[in-house]
């Protein structure tokens, strides 16, 4: 399952921290030296200058599935977690595409994914569209994108991946 969201960095940080706190979850990530880090909240310096990749889930599952390994975790080891990827551009306020994905065959990831979807359904708007009507197939996928109120200030800077086709939020 996958959720795409367009939001500012501040909104990303605030939303993820709120989701983690409300659901008593943690996230972990691997730094450039391949060392694992675990936390319950995102701080500014974690993702201001680079793309952002974390795994969200239950702390006990993390201890059982990841910490117990005597090697670097593989994607198969991380199947019980929601994967978050945010493509960030230095010195930009906005985030063009934040992707949350999880494996629905994992009970843990599936449960947390349902909680995440309910969180976005409650707190964000759904539906974006291409400014150019010729992109009807793109518009079908953009209907599933979530967006936060704060991106409307940057509507002149929101593009789909690749920066070619301008996209806009659908009316509230």
């Amino acid at each position: 399952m996958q959720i795409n969201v367009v939001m500012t960095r501040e909104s990303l940080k605030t939303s993820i921290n709120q989701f983690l706190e409300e659901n008593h979850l943690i996230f972990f990530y691997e730094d450039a030296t391949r060392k694992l880090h675990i936390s319950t909240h995102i701080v500014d310096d974690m993702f201001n200058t680079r793309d952002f990749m974390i795994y969200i889930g239950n702390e006990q599952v993390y201890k059982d599935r990841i910490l117990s390994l005597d090697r670097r975790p593989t994607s198969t080891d991380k199947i019980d977690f929601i994967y978050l990827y945010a493509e960030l551009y230095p010195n930009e306020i906005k985030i063009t595409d934040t992707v949350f994905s999880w494996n629905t065959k994992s009970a843990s990831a599936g449960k947390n994914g349902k909680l995440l979807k309910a969180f976005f359904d409650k707190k964000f708007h759904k539906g974006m569209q291409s400014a150019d009507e010729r992109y009807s197939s793109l518009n079908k996928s953009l209907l599933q994108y979530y967006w936060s109120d704060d991106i409307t200030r940057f509507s002149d800077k929101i593009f789909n991946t690749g920066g070619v086709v301008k996209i806009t939020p659908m009316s509230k």
Side-chain angles (χ1 to χ4, degrees):
M1 186 76 175
Q2 179 173 306
I3 294 176
N4 292 70
V5 187
V6 177
M7 62 181 134
T8 63
R9 291 180 191 198
E10 186 60 32
S11 185
L12 172 65
K13 181 183 78 170
T14 302
S15 298
I16 296 306
N17 287 342
Q18 184 179 2
F19 175 73
L20 293 171
E21 184 177 324
E22 286 177 5
N23 296 287
H24 310 286
L25 299 173
I26 56 92
F27 72 90
F28 70 94
Y29 66 98
E30 199 172 332
D31 68 16
T33 65
R34 296 188 174 177
K35 181 180 177 189
L36 290 175
H37 300 272
I38 182 174
S39 184
T40 57
H41 66 283
I42 296 170
V43 294
D44 286 334
D45 64 347
M46 289 175 130
F47 66 98
N48 277 341
T49 59
R50 59 184 165 12
D51 292 350
F52 188 59
M53 295 171 275
I54 63 172
Y55 293 87
I56 299 171
N58 178 284
E59 185 172 10
Q60 190 59 50
V61 174
Y62 172 77
K63 289 176 181 176
D64 294 344
R65 296 273 305 181
I66 304 300
L67 282 184
S68 62
L69 298 171
D70 59 354
R71 58 175 167 69
R72 183 177 178 212
T74 64
S75 57
T76 304
D77 297 322
K78 300 172 189 174
I79 196 168
D80 294 319
F81 299 90
I82 297 170
Y83 172 67
L84 177 154
Y85 174 71
E87 192 170 328
L88 303 175
Y89 301 96
N91 304 316
E92 287 283 343
I93 296 171
K94 66 169 179 30
I95 294 175
T96 55
D97 194 5
T98 302
V99 179
F100 297 85
S101 59
W102 62 93
N103 187 317
T104 56
K105 292 180 182 176
S106 162
S108 178
K111 176 186 166 206
N112 292 331
K114 285 180 184 177
L115 292 171
L116 182 69
K117 184 170 180 346
F119 178 84
F120 281 114
D121 283 340
K122 181 178 166 185
K123 302 208 181 272
F124 286 76
H125 307 286
K126 191 173 185 181
M128 299 191 80
Q129 62 191 2
S130 165
D132 187 335
E133 293 179 13
R134 294 178 294 169
Y135 295 96
S136 59
S137 61
L138 175 62
N139 280 337
K140 288 177 185 174
S141 66
L142 290 173
L143 286 174
Q144 301 306 312
Y145 275 54
Y146 289 89
W147 56 277
S148 58
D149 283 325
D150 57 357
I151 68 161
T152 57
R153 298 177 300 173
F154 307 103
S155 60
D156 60 321
K157 296 182 177 183
I158 303 172
F159 294 89
N160 75 319
T161 305
V164 177
V165 181
K166 184 175 178 175
I167 60 174
T168 59
M170 295 180 78
S171 300
K172 296 181 198 179

